[in-house]
Structures are given as structure tokens and as C-alpha cells.
Amino acid sequence: MARLLLRQWRDADLEPFAALNADPEVMRHFPARLGRAQSDELAVHARAALAERGWGLWAVEVADGPPFIGFVGLSVPRFEAHFTPAVEIGWRLGRAHWGHGYATEAARAALAFGFHDLSLDEIVSFTTVANERSRRVMERLGMTRDPADDFAHPLVPEGEPTRPHVLYRLRRVDWPGEPLPIISR
């Protein structure tokens, strides 16, 4: 039995999502924490993308546990770079849920969806150079990094310590995984 469920967002997710986005440790590798209005806007956008496309940033629920621990999913970067257009995999979980393998487990399901259901040839992921936790998840997923792909994130102001980013890639031909039944349709 799967430990997690990736699902559509609910109104009840907004409050814990706002707390997660206001946590300085969770948001350490982002330019700023999000206020309640910004957090709600991100959740509304994620909900709409899931409803429209059938994929996106899914809310993550623990079976027989917390009904909301954060999000994991696929998105299209909102900027131009040497690797775009692309589909990115990303995650953001509440600090209390770190260290349990949830990000890796949910991300495997999202990768399987992207490769099997969407027939994507490649999925990328990126983060700040200093975000070792996310980089380890990317590596556990089988994603690889070529330092020549690293970039300055164009939506992060120059001079910000979070501007330099590393890029990881995974091609469908290198993905050994099978579809996982933890995504709610």
C-alpha cells in the first residue's frame, strides 16, 4: 500500500500551505517567504492547472496521516533559459515531514506520470547551489547534473545569493520506473 496520495488541492490545504510558505527554514533557498495572499494565489494557480491539464503541482497527503504536507509535481518554467521549453519536477514539503522519504516517493510518482502518461522525453529539476537537501532528492531520482547547464535564475534579482542554480535532467530512456498508483485522477 502506498504511503502517499498526490491529489487535487482542497480549501483546507490553504492554511497549512501558508504556514509552510512562511517558515524561514522551508523557504531558505527562495528569495523570500510568501505571505498568506501569495501562498493562496500559488495554491489557486496549482488547483486550476490540475483541473485544466490533469497534471501539475499535486497536494501531497499521507495515508492514515496528515491530510496535507506540501506539494510535489510537474510544471512548466515561467522563464526562458538554455533548457526551456521544459517540464520541471519540484516539491515543497513542511519541515515536520522532511527526512521520511516523502519527497522522493512522491517525485517518483510524478516522474512516472510525466514519462508514461504524458510521454515526455525529458524532465528537469533545478534549485539553488546551496540546496543540498533538494539536490540529494534529485540524485536519488536518478537525475544527473552537468555543471555546464548551471544558470543564473532570471526571475531572481542579480546579487541575490539564491540566483545561481544547478540544473538536473532525467531522460525517459534512462527512467527505470513504472507508473505508481498514488496520483488521484
Side-chain angles (χ1 to χ4, degrees):
M1 180 176 158
R3 297 188 307 161
L4 303 175
L5 174 67
L6 276 61
R7 59 163 174 78
Q8 178 57 282
W9 292 72
R10 301 176 185 142
D11 290 342
D13 300 332
L14 296 179
E15 187 172 329
F17 189 52
L20 178 159
N21 287 318
D23 183 325
E25 187 61 22
V26 171
M27 300 301 287
R28 179 179 5 155
H29 299 289
F30 292 88
R33 289 178 276 170
L34 302 182
R36 178 62 190 255
Q38 293 169 302
S39 179
D40 287 355
E41 183 179 322
L42 177 56
V44 166
H45 177 74
R47 182 187 292 184
L50 283 170
E52 179 183 316
R53 295 188 303 224
W55 60 273
L57 301 176
W58 289 281
V60 180
E61 179 175 326
V62 177
D64 299 323
F68 178 83
I69 64 169
F71 70 75
V72 173
L74 304 170
S75 63
V76 176
R78 304 176 294 133
F79 57 86
E80 289 185 24
H82 68 280
F83 59 90
T84 61
V87 173
E88 170 202 7
I89 186 165
W91 45 84
R92 188 177 308 163
L93 302 180
R95 191 171 6 152
H97 309 291
W98 294 358
H100 301 283
Y102 294 150
T104 303
E105 187 175 328
R108 281 192 179 117
L111 284 171
F113 185 90
F115 290 135
H116 291 280
D117 294 56
L118 302 178
S119 297
L120 297 172
D121 290 326
E122 179 180 74
I123 298 174
V124 302
S125 192
F126 48 86
T127 189
T128 62
V129 173
N131 191 345
E132 291 294 329
R133 294 182 73 87
S134 280
R135 292 176 68 173
R136 283 194 304 269
V137 171
M138 293 171 198
E139 290 163 5
R140 281 193 295 273
L141 295 171
M143 302 186 95
T144 58
R145 173 182 169 238
D146 177 346
D149 276 338
D150 294 351
F151 66 104
H153 198 301
L155 299 180
V156 178
E158 286 194 40
E160 288 286 328
T162 57
R163 187 158 196 225
H165 273 57
V166 292
L167 178 76
Y168 284 74
R169 299 174 184 259
L170 183 60
R171 296 175 357 166
R172 180 174 39 181
V173 297
D174 299 322
W175 172 247
E178 292 298 319
L180 301 174
I182 68 171
I183 298 177
S184 175
R185 305 217 187 220

